[in-house]
Amino acid sequence: MSRPAEPKLPPPREAEYMFDDWTIKVTKSHIMGSQCEVQGGCDESLEPEKRCNLCRYEHILRLPSLPDMVFADNSLKISHKGGGSITFNALDALKCVNVHEENLQVAHAEAWKEARSNCEFAQKVVKPYDWTYTTDFRGALDGNLLAEKSSERIDLDKLRVREEIKFYDEVFLYEDELDDNGSTRCVVKVRVMPSGFFVVFRHYLRVDQVIVRVNDTRLYSPKGASYILRETSSREAPISKLRVDASVYKDADVVWQHLPLVTETVDKLVVV
Ligand SMILES: [Zn+2]
């Protein structure tokens, strides 16, 4: 009797939308497994690109551990017909995680460790890498799409005006529940309207009893433009100082408006 075939995972699903000279491409696939996908293990003499996702991620990132859920094949890519592009994916986002030191302020970490001295996970705080997977990734630029200084801001009021949504998607990149002590999550969303396209790449972090942090990168390109405005902000507050209830600070899409701004970077991506 022949053995039943190994269940084959479905191939990544792709969606593409053309908006003037821009092409918006979304790729979505399954969660990366926690074991090497190659029987007997990947050949270490192979280029990282030729290894399975897990071996590639481990080799390139050199993080002591990876988030529980990594969508290694998911991405959002926006390309201009002139050749340049900006891409959001988990690998590049995780490359921006600090491998050498933890990012959470010691004061927070100490208070948290005290509150949970019996918790094994709390001991991870002393490990010298950012176990919260906080990223300051702003999108990977390629080709002739270049960043230049700008003071031009995205008109958020204009974006609140109700418009037809011509294309929308949400792409998960990574997530981890920090052993039930909170949440760290990286997601990118894209929305195309008749007046332009808008992207929010968001890293949300909540460490229970300690902190909520939201790092956002927003992109906006008005219809007909050959440039993209890019704004990155980092907002955070200790949970003890937040005057909102848990349903608010557990919602990444709502809580950012209640967090004080810590840093901000504004620039413009231009096709050269
Ligand atoms: Zn492998």
Side-chain angles (χ1 to χ4, degrees):
M1 233 169 71
S2 63
R3 275 196 328 165
E6 294 274 328
K8 270 255 181 254
L9 289 164
R13 299 174 301 282
E14 293 182 347
E16 220 173 64
Y17 189 85
M18 309 273 280
F19 187 69
D20 295 336
D21 291 342
W22 300 97
T23 301
I24 293 156
K25 185 177 175 185
V26 167
T27 305
K28 289 199 216 180
S29 189
H30 51 83
I31 296 176
M32 179 169 81
S34 56
Q35 281 171 353
C36 177
E37 291 160 27
V38 177
Q39 210 162 21
C42 279
D43 182 349
E44 290 198 3
S45 64
L46 287 175
E47 300 284 304
E49 293 71 37
K50 291 183 178 147
R51 304 184 198 175
C52 79
N53 278 331
L54 179 69
C55 293
R56 185 164 57 96
Y57 270 57
E58 284 180 343
H59 178 83
I60 293 173
L61 296 170
R62 304 210 177 273
L63 282 164
S65 69
L66 290 171
D68 278 345
M69 286 177 274
V70 176
F71 295 84
D73 291 317
N74 285 12
S75 66
L76 168 69
K77 182 174 186 176
I78 297 172
S79 341
H80 191 267
K81 75 167 186 196
S85 66
I86 180 165
T87 303
F88 295 88
N89 58 56
L91 184 67
D92 287 315
L94 288 168
K95 276 182 193 169
C96 298
V97 170
N98 197 324
V99 195
H100 303 294
E101 49 188 304
E102 63 149 310
N103 150 306
L104 216 55
Q105 290 165 32
V106 175
H108 293 309
E110 284 304 315
W112 187 57
K113 262 192 331 190
E114 234 164 78
R116 295 170 175 267
S117 53
N118 296 325
C119 168
E120 193 188 317
F121 180 74
Q123 304 312 315
K124 281 189 190 172
V125 174
V126 300
K127 281 193 184 169
Y129 79 102
D130 185 3
W131 49 272
T132 69
Y133 304 109
T134 293
T135 181
D136 55 4
F137 181 55
R138 310 181 65 218
L141 295 177
D142 192 34
N144 48 3
L145 188 65
L146 300 182
E148 65 175 37
K149 278 191 183 153
S150 171
S151 54
E152 199 177 330
R153 302 299 303 254
I154 298 172
D155 185 347
L156 291 175
D157 287 332
K158 197 174 140 196
L159 282 166
R160 285 188 192 104
V161 174
R162 229 172 235 287
E163 264 190 273
E164 181 196 352
I165 307 289
K166 299 177 95 58
F167 179 79
Y168 174 83
D169 220 325
E170 182 174 24
V171 186
F172 288 89
L173 300 181
Y174 63 83
E175 184 165 356
D176 193 296
E177 298 298 323
L178 305 175
D179 287 355
D180 287 333
N181 289 289
S183 172
T184 180
R185 196 184 312 153
C186 211
V187 180
V188 61
K189 296 180 188 183
V190 59
R191 189 171 97 199
V192 185
M193 300 143 292
S195 64
F197 66 82
F198 183 54
V199 171
V200 181
F201 166 77
R202 173 165 291 158
H203 175 258
Y204 165 80
L205 170 71
R206 186 189 79 247
V207 180
D208 289 334
Q209 300 172 42
V210 182
I211 197 173
V212 176
R213 175 189 292 145
V214 176
N215 286 353
D216 278 340
T217 289
R218 293 183 170 79
L219 306 180
Y220 180 68
S221 180
K223 181 165 176 62
S226 58
Y227 64 85
I228 300 174
L229 302 177
R230 178 169 67 168
E231 297 184 9
T232 301
S233 61
S234 182
R235 295 165 188 271
E236 67 174 56
I239 287 182
S240 59
K241 295 231 168 83
L242 272 175
R243 295 287 166 258
V244 295
D245 57 54
S247 66
V248 172
Y249 69 69
K250 288 185 174 178
D251 187 337
D253 295 330
V254 176
V255 71
W256 68 271
Q257 301 161 79
H258 299 278
L259 300 174
L261 184 67
V262 180
T263 59
E264 189 173 54
T265 310
V266 176
D267 56 11
K268 192 174 190 172
L269 309 176
V270 293
V271 180
V272 293

